[in-house]
Amino acid sequence: MTLELSPDHAEVISLLHPLDAGLEPAIASLHARLARDAQLTHTLDIAYRIVDSPLGKLLLAATDRGIVRVAFELEDHDAVLQLLANTVSPRILQAPARLDDAARELDEYFKGTRTEFGLTLDFRLSRGFRLNVLRHLPRIPYGSTASYAQVAQAAGSPNAVRAVGTACATNPLPLIVPCHRVVKSDGNFGGYLGGSEAKRALLRLEAAA
Amino acid sequence: MKPGQMVNKKPFEAVVREQGPTVLRVCRAILGVHDADDAWSDTFLAALQAYPALPSEANVEAWLVTIAHRKCIDHVRAGTRRALPVDHPPEQSSSLGIPGDGHEELLDALAGLPPKQRQAVAYHYLGGLPYKDVAALLGGTAEAARRAGADGVKSLRSALTIHQSLAHTSSKGDI
């Protein structure tokens, strides 16, 4: 930004510096108030929250229709938020309360006390065959796995094994939509958005519970 | 960012994080600490509402300062308490500044300025607006806005110098 700086600019700024007293805590509480007001007035299109998990920090994002995105740290949360801004709406705020249920259910899942999610999901980031695949995945029971070929068959396109792989690799709702339960026919794990270590850990968790 | 480049609009969260402090400083300078919170909230709620329609190459800081300007005027018009020199400073402001840090003195000095001077100082020095944009908000010419800003700074300096507690050594402060 071009600004014709007055010669005494820096000095005036320091003269005004006492205005910064208590600025940070004030901004924090104003941010919380904005998130609340925005929800009440339906001005917020996407609320998000970052939660800790055994697989690292997870980004949870919701629209008014439901949970729209779960992202691993590996995916770069800033990049994920930017993509949501580009594709859904830039009216995005960190508004943790909206994701209380999702955070609690994921927490229970990681503790091994939850085997199914009861969350409302917004599938707007997926379409066509990929969406079809994602809708089939919750039918693979907790603690078991299916091959990419089996999922292709179940989704009605037995030849679309590769496309099933793509659908899993681009799943916007990992964990909740259990793409980690889809493995290679030869028993190998196959790739995973959160890294193959994460996939292994999830399958181990579900096998142990 | 290069002009003509397709710019994606940031998530509004990033806007709040980057511009929140600037807008709060501006509101504090115009209204005082207490009413500044309400003006900040009104500003960002209105901005969130209008954000999708903002051209992606727009100067977000200037846009927010413009909204804050209008919201501050609304507050003054609505007859909410104005930042005027008060005999008994409200209790809550004591928690906002360490006593003796010049916080109260500065707020009093700002409240003592004529509105145009206070606005010119706030929008130019705190909000980063060039004087031609300040003039667009306040009416009049850029030169008049520059004079209002300079006069405002001069009055602030002398008010704060009289308040001897501020050990402000400035080569230009000998008014």
Side-chain angles (χ1 to χ4, degrees):
Chain A
M1 168 171 165
T2 51
L3 172 63
E4 26 34 313
L5 286 175
S6 326
D8 59 347
H9 201 95
E11 195 227 319
V12 176
I13 296 287
S14 81
L15 189 73
L16 296 169
H17 184 71
L19 286 173
D20 281 20
L23 200 74
E24 268 178 46
I27 293 286
S29 76
L30 285 170
H31 181 288
R33 176 172 161 190
L34 175 65
R36 269 197 315 274
D37 290 352
Q39 307 256 35
L40 287 173
T41 55
H42 302 283
T43 320
L44 191 57
D45 293 329
I46 298 178
Y48 78 92
R49 168 178 185 158
I50 311 280
V51 296
D52 285 318
S53 87
L55 302 181
K57 290 191 189 309
L58 297 174
L59 173 101
L60 314 177
T63 65
D64 54 356
R65 293 189 215 164
I67 312 294
V68 72
R69 189 75 166 88
V70 174
F72 294 103
E73 227 168 341
L74 216 62
E75 299 177 75
D76 183 353
H77 290 168
D78 283 342
V80 170
L81 289 170
Q82 184 62 62
L83 204 62
L84 285 171
N86 302 347
T87 55
V88 181
S89 164
R91 299 204 294 201
I92 300 176
L93 278 180
Q94 189 158 12
R98 176 105 151 249
L99 292 138
D100 277 352
D101 287 346
R104 184 176 38 77
E105 292 202 7
L106 279 166
D107 196 43
E108 290 163 358
Y109 170 75
F110 283 117
K111 281 186 186 136
T113 58
R114 174 173 287 278
T115 59
E116 258 173 44
F117 292 97
L119 303 164
T120 310
L121 305 179
D122 178 352
F123 280 103
R124 78 172 80 194
L125 296 176
S126 307
R127 44 195 90 224
F129 183 68
R130 291 185 191 178
L131 176 59
N132 202 12
V133 170
L134 296 184
R135 288 199 184 279
H136 271 82
L137 296 184
R139 296 184 198 169
I140 310 171
Y142 182 93
S144 58
T145 58
S147 69
Y148 290 98
Q150 284 168 325
V151 174
Q153 191 133 34
S157 306
N159 294 323
V161 179
R162 199 174 277 272
V164 169
T166 311
C168 290
T170 56
N171 176 11
L173 295 159
L175 301 170
I176 299 174
V177 172
C179 60
H180 58 274
R181 291 179 200 149
V182 186
V183 295
K184 289 186 165 176
S185 311
D186 63 10
N188 277 324
F189 285 111
Y192 191 55
L193 269 171
S196 48
E197 250 330 292
K199 187 170 187 172
R200 196 189 306 268
L202 289 172
L203 292 176
R204 209 164 36 218
L205 165 85
E206 294 192 3
Chain B
M1 229 165 284
K2 285 175 196 139
Q5 200 179 343
M6 186 53 194
V7 186
N8 282 318
K9 211 173 287 181
K10 290 178 186 173
F12 196 73
E13 176 72 24
V15 174
V16 179
R17 222 171 273 162
E18 287 162 21
Q19 308 295 343
T22 295
V23 172
L24 190 56
R25 283 184 202 104
V26 167
C27 293
R28 283 178 168 190
I30 302 289
L31 296 173
V33 170
H34 185 263
D35 288 337
D37 283 1
D38 288 341
W40 188 99
S41 296
D42 292 350
T43 298
F44 274 97
L45 194 58
L48 175 63
Q49 212 138 23
Y51 190 53
L54 181 76
S56 53
E57 69 281 1
N59 177 341
V60 176
E61 185 181 39
W63 175 66
L64 285 167
V65 170
T66 303
I67 300 174
H69 163 68
R70 290 199 298 263
K71 294 300 176 187
C72 287
I73 289 176
D74 289 349
H75 267 265
V76 173
R77 287 207 182 124
T80 44
R81 279 175 306 113
R82 232 185 131 166
L84 290 171
V86 280
D87 296 331
H88 337 278
E91 208 57 55
Q92 68 223 80
S93 27
S94 59
S95 64
L96 288 160
I98 307 142
D101 66 352
H103 182 75
E104 294 294 336
E105 292 81 355
L106 177 64
L107 287 173
D108 284 353
L110 280 163
L113 295 181
K116 282 222 166 138
Q117 290 184 17
R118 191 194 310 151
Q119 289 166 314
V121 170
Y123 304 156
H124 178 70
Y125 289 101
L126 299 170
L129 291 192
Y131 275 122
K132 73 169 169 44
D133 294 357
V134 176
L137 293 182
L138 302 182
T141 63
E143 194 39 50
R146 184 191 307 278
R147 254 195 323 273
D151 290 349
V153 167
K154 204 188 284 183
S155 300
L156 284 180
R157 280 207 191 103
S158 71
L160 294 173
T161 310
I162 288 165
H163 220 286
Q164 34 58 337
S165 69
L166 199 74
H168 191 254
T169 47
S170 155
S171 54
K172 290 179 187 137
D174 47 344
I175 304 155

